[in-house]
Each structure stands twice: as C-alpha cells, then as structure tokens.
Amino acid sequence: MTKQVHFRVDDDVYEKLVDKAVASGQTLQQSMTMALCKYVGKVDTMKQNKSGYTFIDLFAGIGGLRLAFENNGSQSVYSNEWNKYSQQTYLANFGVQPDDDITKVDEKSIPDHDILVAGFPCQPFSIAGVSKKNSMGRATGFQDKTQGTLFFDVCRVIKAKRPKAIFLENVKNLKSHDKGRTFKIIMESLNELDYDVHYAILDAQDFVPQHRERIVIVGFDRRRYGYVDFEFNLKKPVHKPVLREILEPKVDDKYTLSDKLWNYLQAYAEKHRKAGNGFGYGMADLDSHTRTLSARYYKDGSEILIPQPGKNPRRLTPRECARLQGFPDSFKIPVSNTQAYKQFGNSVAVPIMTEAARLVQSKLIELDMGKQQDVELLMKEA
C-alpha cells in the first residue's frame, strides 16, 4: 500500500528537483522518494543509542560488511554505493539510500566515525608520474600514487576524518594484481597516512559452505595508538556447515538447466579435459562446500551446479546464493534474479566478516581502555 504526500515548493527549488531527477535518470517521484528515504535514514541514525563504535560503509554493495559490523553492535553513520540496483537492495534492507558517486563527495561532509569500512574496487595504478618523481629524488605521497583510482577516494576520506581504524576487503588476487604494484602502493599509502596496517587472506569455508578467499586489510591510527599488536585469530564455529543445509526443499523447474545448456557445458568440459585443462562446470557435493560464487553466476551457473536424480542439474536460487554468503533469510531481495546473482556474487561471506569485525572492535576496546587508564594514571600523579 502506498500513501500520497503533497509538497509546495518555490519555482527555483522545483527546477533543482527536476534537474536532479533528470541527471539520475529517474522520474521526479522516484527522485523525491529516494531523497525522503535518505533523510529519514539519517534522522533514525541520529536517534540511535550510541552504545558501540560508529562506522561508514564505502563501496557498500548490498551491505554485507554493514551487517558484519552491525552484528557486533556498531552503527553506520554513512553509506556510499554507485550501482542503482545495489542501492535498491540496500535501501530495502537498511532503510537508507546510499550516496551514489564517491568521487563527487566532499570528504569533509562525511560524518565523523570510528571505523572506515570499504570493499573498494581493484584498479591498476599509473606509476609513470611516480617513477619520474623518484628519478628526480622527490618524495611522493598517496595523492601522487593513487590519484585517478577509487582507492584515492578512500585515502582522502581517511586523511580528512582520521578514523580510529580502517577495515578494507578485496579479492584474494589484490596481492598479485598488476604484478604486485597495486598492493604495494596501497600498503605504502596507508603507512604514509600513519596507520599501522595488518592483512590476511581469509577463507570462509569454515563459516559458510563455500570456498571463498578474500583479503582483509586492517589498520589502526598510529598517531592515536602507536604500533598495534593485532592478529587474525578467527574463532571458528563449532559446526562447519555443508551445502545441503542451505538448499530450499522445493525449487521451481526454471532453475534446472535446459538440455541445450547442459549438453554444451559437458562438451566444453570434455574439450578442456582432453587439452589437459581444468576448465569446466562444478558439480557440487551436498555434504561439503562449493566453489566460489562469482558475479557471473547468472550466465549459466556452471561453477556451482546442484545434482538432481533423474534430471539435469540445476543452479542455485537467489535465496540459496544469499544463504551461501551467510545472509539471513530476513534479507530482502527486491531485484531481478540476474541482478540478485550479480549482487550476491560480488558480496562478502557475512559470518567470517562478522568474526573479523569482532576482532577489530575488540582490539579497539582494548586500546581505548588502555588510553583511558593511562590518562587516569597521569591525573593521579599530577
């Protein structure tokens, strides 16, 4: 059920509203609805009891990392995501409309926060200008090395807001991307911003029935805490989940592969088997874990196929993909199946990120308590 709300605005305000709607490819009604949701979301955030740490959610996707930090009691005060379909899912689940282009956001306008959280895209850096400066014996900073990439926007927010901690997530291949140059520049840039940085490649298969390796980079403000002793000592769940536990009992026949597609995948796999390659479809073991769910899963589902006695195998449903990534069944999927497959394939495995977030917050609590004790000791001695 929808309600009608009528506004009276001056002509100049109306013209700006129309211009904004046209620029974003929306109707005036859609643009106004999103603006109101964004406003209400900010008001709700301001009203929340600030019992935990605050964080911002950059390159937010559908909110997997937001869930991880909220599961530990932290509160989001700002989110940013450019993809309109991901925005739609984010809005449906969190009641907040993310900002849509981080490159156009004034970093000073972003609310103060304790933890900066970002699943930023992996891009190669241009090192020509940096190499020239090095040859001339001139120092280079993060601005020289990262300008033109989205990681630059992460750096400028860090510099402006100086959060207590940063939590960055990316694909495992970030370490080897562009022959290791990308990772080297990222680590150098965070070090130049005075953050004590730690990283690890984490595999989610103990937390969800999926082999999914991701790199997590954690940093603590060195100006505030000095050098920090931090380790990724994840507490694994007592029960290791298996695939059959997340499958739906009844699935529509539309998820079963057609004879044409199934024959093609078998022929493709056989061709590469004869050539000595390992390419091909992945028939899942229901009592184990799957391959990594990717954003291309919507194309044919070949990396994770579910066997069906007496018929062709099927692909996972969007809800099963959500479960494979550890999203709760209460998580809403308001988009098409194609977009849902892309979104969950691009997202994080929520349970392992929840555990990683817990470690970061526990370390912050320890550090902040230590600083408080130091202050009390100095006051006693004064």
Side-chain angles (χ1 to χ4, degrees), residues 220-371:
F220 298 92
D221 183 3
R222 206 155 45 214
R223 297 178 191 174
R224 186 183 268 115
Y225 302 119
Y227 289 90
V228 176
D229 180 21
F230 178 82
E231 294 183 14
F232 288 88
N233 292 324
L234 302 183
K235 187 184 296 182
K236 297 179 181 179
V238 176
H239 171 68
K240 184 174 181 177
V242 297
L243 178 57
R244 71 168 67 251
E245 294 171 350
I246 62 106
L247 299 181
E248 297 188 80
K250 288 186 178 181
V251 174
D252 194 294
D253 285 341
K254 69 181 180 181
Y255 296 104
T256 296
L257 269 55
S258 66
D259 289 341
K260 181 179 179 181
L261 177 55
W262 180 223
N263 289 335
Y264 167 78
L265 291 177
Q266 291 179 96
Y268 181 82
E270 180 62 18
K271 173 185 173 183
H272 283 283
R273 187 190 65 78
K274 289 180 178 178
N277 300 324
F279 303 119
Y281 60 86
M283 193 68 72
D285 180 350
L286 303 189
D287 293 308
S288 185
H289 58 266
T290 70
R291 293 181 179 182
T292 302
L293 179 69
S294 74
R296 69 167 299 282
Y297 190 73
Y298 74 96
K299 293 185 176 180
D300 54 29
S302 61
E303 65 255 41
I304 305 173
L305 294 177
I306 306 302
Q308 299 186 106
K311 59 196 301 190
N312 295 346
R314 68 171 179 87
R315 68 187 72 193
L316 294 167
T317 68
R319 178 56 64 192
E320 289 170 337
C321 289
R323 291 174 178 174
L324 194 66
Q325 291 282 49
F327 283 80
D329 280 356
S330 58
F331 193 83
K332 299 169 186 171
I333 308 176
V335 293
S336 68
N337 280 6
T338 295
Q339 291 300 327
Y341 285 133
K342 290 180 180 180
Q343 290 176 4
F344 290 116
N346 276 326
S347 191
V348 298
V350 175
I352 193 172
M353 292 302 159
T354 297
E355 173 60 12
R358 182 190 68 80
L359 293 177
V360 172
Q361 292 187 190
S362 295
K363 178 57 68 172
L364 278 180
I365 291 170
E366 175 189 323
L367 293 169
D368 287 339
M369 287 181 65
K371 282 180 67 68

Side-chain angles (χ1 to χ4, degrees), residues 78-299:
Y78 175 81
S79 56
N80 189 290
E81 169 56 43
W82 71 273
N83 182 276
K84 66 179 182 180
Y85 298 108
S86 294
Q87 285 183 347
Q88 188 178 344
T89 300
Y90 199 97
L91 176 60
N93 286 281
F94 302 106
V96 174
Q97 177 67 31
D99 273 353
D100 60 2
D101 188 347
I102 189 63
T103 66
K104 297 178 181 178
V105 174
D106 179 359
E107 60 272 23
K108 296 183 182 66
S109 70
I110 294 176
D112 292 339
H113 51 278
D114 297 310
I115 309 168
L116 179 144
V117 178
F120 66 97
C122 181
Q123 298 168 283
F125 296 100
S126 172
I127 61 170
V130 176
S131 299
K132 183 178 179 181
K133 277 198 171 186
N134 286 339
S135 68
M136 297 172 67
R138 292 163 58 188
T140 63
F142 81 84
Q143 186 155 349
D144 296 300
K145 291 185 284 192
T146 64
Q147 187 76 54
T149 68
L150 291 171
F151 182 68
F152 167 76
D153 297 287
V154 174
C155 288
R156 66 183 175 87
V157 175
I158 292 173
K159 183 180 180 182
K161 308 307 294 188
R162 291 217 67 84
K164 293 180 177 182
I166 56 177
F167 186 101
L168 310 179
E169 179 272 342
N170 213 300
V171 296
K172 173 189 175 182
N173 289 341
L174 177 68
K175 270 199 75 178
S176 58
H177 187 256
D178 195 24
K179 299 180 179 178
R181 297 187 188 99
T182 299
F183 190 69
K184 181 174 182 287
I185 290 175
I186 287 171
M187 298 299 281
E188 286 178 353
S189 299
L190 296 176
N191 183 60
E192 288 166 5
L193 285 164
D194 252 348
Y195 279 78
D196 190 42
V197 185
H198 310 259
Y199 71 90
I201 294 172
L202 308 178
D203 190 344
Q205 65 176 287
D206 286 316
F207 295 79
V208 294
Q210 177 191 181
H211 171 59
R212 190 178 191 86
E213 292 181 303
R214 287 295 185 271
I215 190 167
V216 172
I217 303 170
V218 169
F220 298 92
D221 183 3
R222 206 155 45 214
R223 297 178 191 174
R224 186 183 268 115
Y225 302 119
Y227 289 90
V228 176
D229 180 21
F230 178 82
E231 294 183 14
F232 288 88
N233 292 324
L234 302 183
K235 187 184 296 182
K236 297 179 181 179
V238 176
H239 171 68
K240 184 174 181 177
V242 297
L243 178 57
R244 71 168 67 251
E245 294 171 350
I246 62 106
L247 299 181
E248 297 188 80
K250 288 186 178 181
V251 174
D252 194 294
D253 285 341
K254 69 181 180 181
Y255 296 104
T256 296
L257 269 55
S258 66
D259 289 341
K260 181 179 179 181
L261 177 55
W262 180 223
N263 289 335
Y264 167 78
L265 291 177
Q266 291 179 96
Y268 181 82
E270 180 62 18
K271 173 185 173 183
H272 283 283
R273 187 190 65 78
K274 289 180 178 178
N277 300 324
F279 303 119
Y281 60 86
M283 193 68 72
D285 180 350
L286 303 189
D287 293 308
S288 185
H289 58 266
T290 70
R291 293 181 179 182
T292 302
L293 179 69
S294 74
R296 69 167 299 282
Y297 190 73
Y298 74 96
K299 293 185 176 180

